[in-house]
Structure formats: structure tokens, C-alpha cells
Amino acid sequence: MIIRQKIMRGVSLTAHPKGCAEYTKQQIQWVKEAATGMHASYSTGENLSYPKKVLIIGGSTGYGLATRISASILGKADTINVSFEREPSEKKTATPGWYNNLAFEQEARKMGLKADSILGDAFSHEIKAKTLDLIEKEYGKIDLVVYSLASPLRIDPDTGESYRSVLKTTGATYSAKTIDPFKEQISVAKVGPATEEQITHTVKVMGGEDWTLWMKVLKERDLLAKGCKTVAYSYIGPEVTFPIYREGSIGQAKEHLEATASEIEESLNDIEGTAFVSVNKALVTRASSVIPVVPLYISILYRIMKDKDLHEGCIEQMYRLMTERLYQADGVPVDDAGRIRLDDWEMREDVQTQVKAAWDTIEQENLQQLADLEGFRKEYEQIHGFGCTDIDYSQECDPRVID
Ligand code: NAI
């Protein structure tokens, strides 16, 4: 079939196998180059004691995939990914993560590394058990667990009850400029308040409960190495997005996730384990593109950070996590609340002053000048395997194979 990108209400319904494979390989290549000193703003990260066996929950796209790639190249780590994917058929494409997993695992094996994916619902007992069995049989003890899930739904494995996360405020209705980056149309988004029940549900899905469960079952089966680390990802962002993000229902979930880190760390005391939350930069991923208001903020941020030569994607961020945060010989640098900050460049005062000025004045007429919509769209295309200059998208392509 001929595979073109089809976007409906900000969600891409298709993914290109060759393009996803290409983008995964580009990220691998970037880490290889950075590790040999080819990217000036990044240290080579030599002589750090990187993990050797890494479990990534949500490791098929975005931040999880970038962590998997960074860990495998820097520390020659064997990696297991757990992710939720739609498989391809003769007439239907898979989700991008399915192609990314395949591409990454092919490359990892060429480097002599073990790499497997367990596909299914990470919240379920069944997938946890399957993952633990694989680790026990084929990998041995894990020394880094990465929790990088972004999901709209969780079915409680004990009660069968479904919880849905919502992207709403926790106070009054919030009106703010937003954009459809594909139509380049500014409009006003009105985001209403979540009910108490919706907030509880969002915390159930995106808070720390399932992270705790993963760590608990891994420890009970004695599958965590002495001195193991675990990390989950959070976001804070600037005041302009506070009502919808940090002070919204998702922000409540992120606060829960952050509080969970210290509880997990306490449970790992006897094996000298540590648990962290890393606050990452706002980036175009499948998860962030559907948050109201955020795509406009990201487009403005991209323009400013690119102008200042500070722009990073998931791979650069996760490379810094490994080389300049989690495995620092003199301890993990954290903020007053104990969080790793990889949003340091995003939150720089000069960057945020310019973001605020652009945010206050942006309108249809000056959109191109103040926002990097092209950059947003390109990245969105890229994460679904489109827009790659080496690929002829008019050619027939089997959606079940990546090369
Ligand atoms: P993403 O959408 O690229 O990746 C989500 C991953 O979760 C995928 O591997 C997907 O297969 C997996 N997944 C979803 N539901 C699942 C389920 N039920 N079972 C198994 N796997 C499942 O998202 P992204 O943006 O990389 O997000 C990862 C984490 O980073 C999230 O916690 C997010 O809040 C956080 N974060 C994201 C930022 C952003 O701007 N994108 C900024 C800072 C933090």
C-alpha cells in the first residue's frame, strides 16, 4: 500500500515503517556521535558506571525510546521495553512504537546487545508477570527501571475498574490562545474544571501507583540489583500553561508521581536503591500534542530555543539524563524538592521572558514570526515516520516490514 500521513483531530492514524526505522536509527547515530565528542554542548560521558540491564516501561516512543537508546549505547546495556502497540496488517499500519521497537532491536542485536519488547497493557498483572518471567529467564537483575508511560486509560488489575485521565483545570474554566498546528489557525480554547472524581481518575492513571506496583513486584521476585535506580518523568512548565498543566488534573497526577519517588526509595533502602523523578522539557510527542494550549507554547518555545541554539529533542534530553544527572560520580544533582531538572534550559529566565512576550502578543498575523509551526509539524511527522527526505512516500510499501 501507499502510506501517507492521516491526521484526525491532532492524532496521526498512520505511521510509516521505513520512516520510523530511519528516525530510530538517526537517534542511535546521534548518541554514538555525542559519545565521541561530536556534539559540542554535550559531554562524552566517559567513565561513568552506567546500568547494564535496563527495563523501560513505555520505551517505544518519545522519552522512553530515547532513554532506551541512550542507555544501550552509553553503557552497552541490555534492554527490555514494555509498550502498548497496534500491530500492522497487510492493509493497516502499526503504531510508530511497533516499528521503532523492531528497528531499535535489530540495531541493538547488531551491537551484540540483548533487546526485547513485551507488548501489552503495562498496568495489567499479566504483562507484569510476563516481563518478570523474561527478566528472570534471560536477563538477570535489573539496575535501572525507567517509567515513561503516557496513557489516557488504566484498568485496575484487581477490581477491573476503568480510570480515564482528563486534561482539565482544577479551578475555574480557563480560556487561552491555542493553535491547530496543522491548519495554522489560532483560536481560544476553553478548558473546564475537572470533577473531584476526574482528578482522582487522572491520578490513578498518570500518578505513581503503577510505578510503585512495578517496583514492588520486581523486588519481591528479587529482580532488582543492589544499588539499582529508578526514574519516572514529569513536567512543570511556565505560568502560562499552569492552569491546564501543572495546576490542572494532570499536574495533580505529576505531584503524586513526584511524591511516590521518595516512597519507592524507602522501599529500596535494603538494596541501596534510589528513585528519582526527572522534570523534562516540553517536546512534541504523541502524548503532548493532544494537550490543549500546549502546542502553541511548544511552537513559541521552539522558535526561541532554536534561535538561542538551545533546542533539544527527546534524545538530547535523555543523553543528558544519563551523562550529566543519573550517573554522576559525585551524586545525582537535584532541586530543592529532590527532582532532577532537565527543563533547565527551557526554564532559563531569558527564554521564559521571551516566551511570555511572544505569548502576550501572538495573533494570526505574526504567527509565523513568533512560533515555529513548521518545526512542530516536522517533528510530528518525524515521530510517525513521515517527512524523511531519503524516503519516496509515493512508493508501495508493506506495512509489516521496516526495510
Ligand atoms: P509517548 O506518547 O511518546 O510515549 C508513551 C509510551 O507509553 C509509549 O511507549 C506507549 O506505547 C506507552 N504506553 C501507553 N499506554 C500504555 C499501556 N497501557 N501499557 C504499556 N505501554 C503503554 O509519550 P512521552 O511524551 O514520551 O511521555 C512519557 C512520559 O514523559 C510521560 O510521563 C509524560 O508525562 C512525560 N513528559 C513528557 C513531556 C513532553 O513534552 N512530551 C515533558 C515532560 C515529561
Side-chain angles (χ1 to χ4, degrees):
M1 65 190 274
I2 291 170
I3 303 173
R4 303 239 184 246
Q5 187 159 39
K6 278 190 207 138
I7 297 173
M8 200 193 277
R9 282 188 231 108
V11 178
S12 179
L13 306 178
T14 51
H16 200 282
K18 291 186 173 60
C20 288
E22 180 55 33
Y23 180 46
T24 303
K25 285 183 203 162
Q26 282 173 14
Q27 293 185 76
I28 293 174
Q29 185 59 24
W30 188 91
V31 175
K32 284 184 176 168
E33 288 172 6
T36 54
M38 285 170 68
H39 295 294
S41 310
Y42 297 86
S43 68
T44 57
E46 266 177 339
N47 303 325
L48 299 180
S49 35
Y50 294 116
K52 297 287 174 213
K53 310 273 173 201
V54 181
L55 168 64
I56 306 106
I57 302 148
S60 65
T61 53
Y63 276 119
L65 174 65
T67 323
R68 189 180 196 193
I69 292 172
S70 300
S72 68
I73 311 268
L74 286 163
K76 303 204 177 349
D78 294 331
T79 56
I80 306 130
N81 155 61
V82 180
S83 65
F84 196 81
E85 312 299 342
R86 183 186 68 224
E87 299 203 9
S89 64
E90 201 182 333
K91 295 237 150 42
K92 199 162 184 192
T93 71
T95 44
W98 194 87
Y99 299 123
N100 297 343
N101 290 345
L102 211 63
F104 170 78
E105 285 159 20
Q106 272 183 10
E107 294 303 308
R109 287 184 196 122
K110 279 187 211 161
M111 293 184 270
L113 305 174
K114 267 171 103 71
D116 285 289
S117 280
I118 302 263
L119 302 187
D121 181 10
F123 296 121
S124 69
H125 288 319
E126 183 205 341
I127 290 297
K128 286 189 175 73
K130 227 171 153 181
T131 311
L132 266 49
D133 289 347
L134 175 72
I135 294 171
E136 194 170 64
K137 203 160 149 240
E138 308 257 344
Y139 282 77
K141 293 191 183 189
I142 298 292
D143 38 28
L144 173 64
V145 180
V146 179
Y147 192 82
S148 187
L149 278 197
S151 175
L153 171 75
R154 175 175 173 213
I155 299 170
D156 187 299
D158 292 322
T159 62
E161 201 173 329
S162 294
Y163 298 100
R164 281 195 178 276
S165 63
V166 297
L167 294 159
K168 293 191 169 186
T169 74
T170 53
T173 294
Y174 168 63
S175 299
K177 287 175 212 169
T178 190
I179 190 147
D180 179 333
F182 306 101
K183 295 185 181 143
E184 301 201 355
Q185 195 63 49
I186 287 209
S187 60
V188 172
K190 270 197 177 157
V191 185
T195 61
E196 279 305 317
E197 191 188 31
Q198 285 175 322
I199 295 171
T200 310
H201 282 211
T202 307
V203 172
K204 273 269 180 195
V205 181
M206 289 296 286
E209 197 174 277
D210 183 60
W211 183 24
T212 306
L213 287 177
W214 270 100
M215 296 310 292
K216 185 166 171 275
V217 291
L218 282 159
K219 184 152 185 265
E220 277 169 3
R221 280 275 283 270
D222 195 20
L223 293 175
L224 294 174
K226 190 173 169 207
C228 71
K229 291 184 200 280
T230 181
V231 64
Y233 300 137
S234 188
Y235 184 64
I236 297 177
E239 271 179 34
V240 288
T241 62
F242 271 10
I244 181 66
Y245 201 95
R246 192 63 193 188
E247 289 169 357
S249 48
I250 183 70
Q252 300 280 306
K254 289 302 183 191
E255 275 181 19
H256 185 270
L257 186 82
E258 289 167 22
T260 303
S262 48
E263 287 167 24
I264 291 180
E265 184 156 308
E266 222 170 277
S267 75
L268 300 176
N269 271 346
D270 56 331
I271 54 167
E272 294 166 31
T274 43
F276 297 92
V277 158
S278 171
V279 181
N280 300 341
K281 180 194 179 206
L283 279 175
V284 179
T285 64
R286 278 161 65 81
S288 65
S289 310
V290 292
I291 307 177
V293 182
V294 166
L296 182 60
Y297 168 69
I298 291 181
S299 308
I300 294 173
L301 181 73
Y302 274 27
R303 160 93 345 124
I304 292 161
M305 291 188 81
K306 283 179 185 174
D307 285 351
K308 290 179 182 288
D309 212 8
L310 286 176
H311 179 68
E312 293 182 303
C314 289
I315 198 68
E316 290 90 342
Q317 281 264 296
M318 294 301 97
Y319 182 85
R320 271 209 294 143
L321 177 69
M322 300 296 287
T323 56
E324 296 178 26
R325 299 289 192 276
L326 264 188
Y327 293 97
Q328 285 297 85
D330 49 357
V332 179
V334 290
D335 68 8
D336 293 347
R339 301 170 297 209
I340 294 171
R341 301 300 295 262
L342 283 166
D343 61 343
D344 47 351
W345 298 355
E346 170 182 355
M347 298 312 290
R348 251 175 49 173
E349 208 182 323
D350 58 327
V351 173
Q352 286 302 324
T353 305
Q354 278 179 252
V355 167
K356 176 85 177 60
W359 187 269
D360 290 342
T361 51
I362 199 161
E363 51 193 22
Q364 201 63 42
E365 285 65 41
N366 57 16
L367 197 52
Q368 298 302 337
Q369 184 198 333
L370 296 180
D372 180 21
L373 289 173
E374 201 189 329
F376 187 103
R377 276 196 309 269
K378 266 198 174 147
E379 232 169 88
Y380 193 79
E381 278 175 9
Q382 197 176 34
I383 60 176
H384 295 92
F386 296 99
C388 179
T389 47
D390 295 343
I391 294 174
D392 181 353
Y393 290 95
S394 65
Q395 293 295 306
E396 285 282 335
C397 169
D398 184 338
R400 295 162 300 184
V401 290
I402 57 171
D403 36 32

